[in-house]
Amino acid sequence: MDGRDLVRSVKSVGSMRGLRTARSVWRRARALPARGPERARVPGDLAGAEPGPGGGVVRFARSELRVRVAAGGAVFLGWDGAEPLPSYALPGDAPDADPRAVLEPDKDGGWQVVSERLTVVVSRLGAVELRTPGGVVLRRQLPPRWWEPVAGGPGRWVQRSEVPADARFFGPGGRAPGPRLRDGVYALWNSGPGCRPGSGDDARYLTMPVQMVVSDAGTHLVFHDNSWTGRVELREGTEGAGSGHDRPGASEMRVEGGPLRCWVAVGTPARVLQAWSALTGAPAVPPSWALGPQHARCGSGSEQEVRQVVAGYRERGLPLSALHPGIDGFEARQEDRERFPGLPGLAKELREDGMRLVSLVDPAVAAAPGDAVFEAGAAVGASGAFVRDARGRTVRGEGRTGECVYPDFTDPQVRAWWGGLYEERLAQGFSGVWHDMDEPASFAASGEAALPRSARHSLEGRGGDHREAHNVYGLMMARAGYEGLLRLRPEERPFLVSGSGWAGTQRYGGIRSGDVPPGWPGLRASLALVVGLGLCGVPYAGPDVGGSPSPELRLRWFQLGAYLPLFRTRAGIDAGRREPWECGAQVPAGVREVLVERERLRPYWVTLAHLARLSGAPMVRPLWWAAPGDRALRECEDAFLLGDALLVAPVLEPGVGERPVRLPPGRWYDTVSGAVYEGPGQVVVEAPLSRVPVLARAGSVIPVRRADGGLELEVWAPVEGAGGGGWLVRDRGDGWAPTVVERYTTRLVGGRVVVERDGEESLVDVPLRMRGV
């Protein structure tokens, strides 16, 4: 950065704000000390092995590899003494070792560990093959390479892997080009609002070093448990034609420091996500009200505007569960008190009418003497709550209100202090929080990191710099908020949505998948982000429903958003008014239809949320979920499954009145027209502007809400000899009542549809509505 950059910074935002911005940019530009000469290293020749719990240690001339099979089926691989702990991804202790897994010599001179679902074969030079029990290779990790500074310090490393030629990559985290990741380089660095989905950039609000790989040989997930900055380069393979040779797919993982360790899970997609959930923690179940439509009004809103928005929804018969009124931070500023003079009363009034208020919270704390939060943070622990530089000085950046400091959420004392601050938000009547700018990003320099890479963090007492802490900053802020809300309101399930995070973020709530541009590319990117996050273990996610001068696009956006777990419209200074009735004469009627259908499906959403906690299965799933061997389904990215029962085919392009849909195996019914389709194969379905195509699987049992608010089961006729079924988790409120899963089955007997619960017709105590008969 030179003087001209400083001048441009000042001119862009005015003198005082510009000077603070320039100072922030200057601090961010400070480089870490040069690495100096480095020494390259590879494992070398095999030197021996030592059996241990669940596997053992294989030693090489210049390195060693630990292989440990966990009781849940996941396999740990750790180089150079790396152990499962400490880890931000794991919620507590490392899983127990499987005593049945034993390290034994391999016939080719290496060593192997055989488990129920996976065989790990280690070669004489350090290559690792992951094989199915039948011996088919799912992945081959080549010997890793390290570059270590001669003068000491963290070494960087690269891990190259090969996968079958037909394999397809999914993950890592929320990616706009996904959910299937084609050839390219994907950064492992959570970026801020300057990186927008659908704008040509790879959206990186939340990155994870997680790959789910699907091939004919099987499905596997690999997670490199390392939060340091890095990148992964992917290349899909090609199958040789005729007598030609296959070219395997390739993955190259480069990380700037930290341990080289990974976890592997194999099996069906459902088994893989179940193992991932068992490893990194069960997803938090949102309160049932959070599964309804939400509306955010960011910027200079007011109590009067909130009442106007609520009145608009009521007058038009549009359901609404929550409002985000655009109040952020703790200890509301004077301007917020003036705009919302009766906030507790407003919150109480809305709650009695079935609506909740949600507060925006970002990590930036105004660096102003006398500010209550700033003064309280400065008194936390021995040196205060805020991130410092290598010289021990508090790092300052640019927040919404000017110069600010950032709490170090990798310090347990800071998390406990920060969690207690949410008491003020609850006292004002808010029922939940939305974390924003938690990458963390600078408010003055959109997309830039708020903290320099040289900034120092506690990292649970170990100490380290921002290169290691950056990607887990949002995760640890979410932990602080979730645990704080849980302490303050132990009888209620916390509602917390973050903008950023890392592996394990599902333990603390959901993800709002970034600022999405209002065009058609942003619509397609929104679907990719949500499906990708689900495959990385985050089931509760969604974009902000975008605004557009085009009524067609506006309506298509509502139609997609209504079938995603987190459904929130958003209005703001940069977006204009986005209430449904502000977008042309065609929009309100179509919006009302999808909002009413969303509410009709509320019992199904509640059921899917609880099943996600119990099994790890995402609510929104790719079409190949139950048939990963179907190559045509692996290529399909413009439709998705909502649970097991529904196939949603949103319209993602303008001027469409019908669209092709690739069907998984089985019979499918159009839920509006009743048309019947047989899969697998491709069909063309009607997609008029008035509705989104939704197909129901034959034999499905779907819990829905009747017009009078009661519960009923919608049963779609099964195929003779095939049967079907579904689950029901009854809504027992927003507390911690035990989850009771009711399993229903269907079959066709002599032209009569038989519905049973636990094998008995007499146990079905819910009204039935037959469809497709």
Side-chain angles (χ1 to χ4, degrees), residues 252-327:
E252 180 181 280
M253 180 91 172
R254 289 183 177 270
V255 177
E256 293 304 308
L260 173 45
R261 58 183 180 179
C262 69
W263 288 91
V264 183
V266 302
T268 64
R271 270 195 164 188
V272 167
L273 265 295
Q274 186 175 35
W276 175 250
S277 177
L279 181 67
T280 60
V285 179
S288 57
W289 59 262
L291 294 166
Q294 304 181 43
H295 182 83
R297 181 70 176 95
C298 301
S300 301
S302 66
E303 185 173 322
Q304 181 181 2
E305 283 193 15
V306 169
R307 294 185 183 277
Q308 289 174 348
V309 170
V310 171
Y313 274 85
R314 286 172 176 161
E315 291 168 5
R316 294 164 177 83
L318 302 177
L320 184 64
S321 291
L323 289 111
H324 304 233
I327 303 175

Side-chain angles (χ1 to χ4, degrees), residues 590-612:
V591 167
R592 185 180 188 279
E593 183 176 328
V594 295
L595 288 178
V596 169
E597 180 64 9
R598 171 79 179 211
E599 285 299 277
R600 191 181 78 90
L601 290 172
R602 178 77 73 89
Y604 187 49
W605 283 108
V606 169
T607 297
L608 291 178
H610 282 278
L611 292 177

Side-chain angles (χ1 to χ4, degrees), residues 373-701:
V373 179
F374 177 72
E375 297 290 353
V380 173
S383 56
F386 306 117
V387 176
R388 296 178 175 269
D389 63 18
R391 298 182 182 180
R393 301 171 300 185
T394 302
V395 177
R396 303 197 173 211
E398 194 69 20
R400 298 177 193 271
T401 58
E403 193 171 43
C404 66
V405 291
Y406 293 87
D408 182 5
F409 294 115
T410 68
D411 186 333
Q413 291 185 85
V414 176
R415 291 197 296 269
W417 162 71
W418 185 265
L421 297 178
Y422 290 76
E423 183 175 10
E424 187 269 344
R425 295 287 81 190
L426 296 178
Q428 292 295 322
F430 289 101
S431 297
V433 293
W434 154 37
H435 287 174
D436 194 24
M437 306 295 285
D438 54 339
E439 292 80 12
S442 170
F443 193 76
S446 183
E448 293 287 342
L451 297 168
R453 299 192 181 205
S454 58
R456 303 296 297 174
H457 291 263
S458 167
L459 292 167
E460 315 308 312
R462 294 181 289 110
D465 62 44
H466 195 61
R467 293 173 297 174
E468 182 178 0
H470 177 84
N471 285 335
V472 297
Y473 191 89
L475 171 70
M476 289 296 98
M477 182 180 178
R479 178 179 176 180
Y482 182 88
E483 292 177 347
L485 292 170
L486 195 58
R487 287 194 305 270
L488 296 166
R489 293 278 177 85
E491 72 282 359
E492 295 182 7
R493 297 199 300 271
F495 174 71
L496 190 148
V497 171
S498 300
S500 186
W502 200 64
T505 197
Q506 73 277 358
R507 302 191 295 264
Y508 310 119
I511 290 293
R512 164 193 162 264
S513 55
D515 293 325
V516 180
W520 291 96
L523 181 64
R524 183 177 291 271
S526 297
L527 174 57
L529 288 161
V530 175
V531 176
L533 286 169
L535 293 176
C536 291
V538 185
Y540 184 61
D544 286 336
V545 171
S548 170
S550 162
E552 178 191 11
L553 175 55
R554 178 65 171 156
L555 184 51
R556 292 305 192 192
W557 209 299
F558 263 95
Q559 290 171 346
L560 170 63
Y563 287 93
L564 300 179
L566 173 59
F567 177 31
R568 188 182 84 160
T569 56
R570 185 182 180 192
I573 296 173
D574 62 338
R577 299 302 296 261
R578 290 187 179 181
E579 285 76 33
W581 52 90
E582 300 284 349
C583 305
Q586 288 179 293
V587 175
V591 167
R592 185 180 188 279
E593 183 176 328
V594 295
L595 288 178
V596 169
E597 180 64 9
R598 171 79 179 211
E599 285 299 277
R600 191 181 78 90
L601 290 172
R602 178 77 73 89
Y604 187 49
W605 283 108
V606 169
T607 297
L608 291 178
H610 282 278
L611 292 177
R613 180 183 68 83
L614 295 173
S615 69
M619 293 185 253
V620 169
R621 307 166 185 176
L623 293 186
W624 49 259
W625 177 258
D630 188 326
R631 295 190 178 188
L633 291 178
R634 297 206 294 259
E635 306 294 328
C636 182
E637 300 177 280
D638 61 355
F640 60 92
L641 297 174
L642 182 57
D644 285 332
L646 297 177
L647 188 158
V648 183
V651 175
L652 306 176
E653 298 175 349
V656 172
E658 60 181 22
R659 57 151 295 175
V661 178
R662 176 68 61 176
L663 295 180
R667 176 174 295 175
W668 298 85
Y669 300 94
D670 188 304
T671 56
V672 173
S673 70
V676 181
Y677 304 98
E678 300 290 342
Q682 182 166 290
V683 299
V684 176
V685 300
E686 295 180 355
L689 185 59
S690 59
R691 67 182 178 91
V692 58
V694 179
L695 308 180
R697 190 190 300 270
S700 294
V701 178

Side-chain angles (χ1 to χ4, degrees), residues 62-370:
R62 291 177 291 276
S63 187
E64 65 179 33
L65 171 66
R66 179 177 298 279
V67 182
R68 179 183 298 167
V69 180
V75 177
F76 174 78
L77 303 172
W79 286 92
D80 286 353
E83 294 282 354
L85 297 177
S87 169
Y88 280 109
L90 275 58
D93 295 335
D96 294 334
D98 185 346
R100 298 172 297 174
V102 178
L103 181 67
E104 58 188 28
D106 177 52
K107 61 183 180 180
D108 293 326
W111 291 83
Q112 67 176 11
V113 177
V114 180
S115 67
E116 179 183 3
R117 303 177 189 175
L118 184 66
T119 297
V120 181
V121 180
V122 184
S123 79
R124 292 172 294 176
L125 294 176
V128 179
E129 286 190 354
L130 309 174
R131 301 177 182 175
T132 68
V136 179
V137 177
L138 294 172
R139 189 183 192 93
R140 185 171 189 266
Q141 296 184 344
L142 302 179
R145 180 181 293 268
W146 294 265
W147 289 268
E148 298 163 335
V150 173
R156 53 194 179 95
W157 52 262
V158 60
Q159 173 77 76
R160 297 183 176 92
S161 303
E162 296 178 348
V163 297
D166 66 289
R168 296 292 178 259
F169 295 100
F170 299 87
R175 299 285 172 164
R180 170 188 161 197
L181 299 180
R182 291 165 172 81
D183 296 2
V185 178
Y186 301 89
L188 297 172
W189 181 261
N190 293 348
S191 298
C195 189
R196 295 164 66 91
S199 64
D201 294 323
D202 171 27
R204 299 188 295 272
Y205 284 79
L206 186 154
T207 68
M208 300 183 200
V210 177
Q211 294 178 22
M212 178 175 279
V213 184
V214 184
S215 67
D216 291 351
T219 301
H220 72 275
L221 179 147
V222 172
F223 164 53
H224 284 86
D225 192 353
N226 184 313
S227 64
W228 281 66
T229 176
R231 64 186 180 92
V232 58
E233 182 173 356
L234 302 177
R235 187 193 68 204
E236 292 183 344
T238 55
E239 293 183 289
S243 60
H245 295 289
D246 289 351
R247 187 192 72 180
S251 167
E252 180 181 280
M253 180 91 172
R254 289 183 177 270
V255 177
E256 293 304 308
L260 173 45
R261 58 183 180 179
C262 69
W263 288 91
V264 183
V266 302
T268 64
R271 270 195 164 188
V272 167
L273 265 295
Q274 186 175 35
W276 175 250
S277 177
L279 181 67
T280 60
V285 179
S288 57
W289 59 262
L291 294 166
Q294 304 181 43
H295 182 83
R297 181 70 176 95
C298 301
S300 301
S302 66
E303 185 173 322
Q304 181 181 2
E305 283 193 15
V306 169
R307 294 185 183 277
Q308 289 174 348
V309 170
V310 171
Y313 274 85
R314 286 172 176 161
E315 291 168 5
R316 294 164 177 83
L318 302 177
L320 184 64
S321 291
L323 289 111
H324 304 233
I327 303 175
D328 64 273
F330 301 113
E331 301 297 336
R333 301 186 301 271
Q334 178 62 32
E335 61 182 275
D336 289 334
R337 289 193 290 268
E338 292 174 356
R339 291 187 292 120
F340 294 88
L343 187 57
L346 173 65
K348 183 174 183 293
E349 175 187 327
L350 293 177
R351 191 175 186 119
E352 290 172 351
D353 204 23
M355 284 172 276
R356 307 295 200 280
L357 287 181
V358 177
S359 175
L360 183 153
V361 174
D362 71 40
V365 175

Side-chain angles (χ1 to χ4, degrees), residues 3-21:
R4 288 176 302 212
D5 295 322
L6 286 171
V7 171
R8 282 195 292 268
S9 297
V10 173
K11 287 182 177 180
S12 65
V13 291
S15 58
M16 290 302 294
R17 180 74 174 267
L19 285 172
R20 289 196 298 266
T21 301

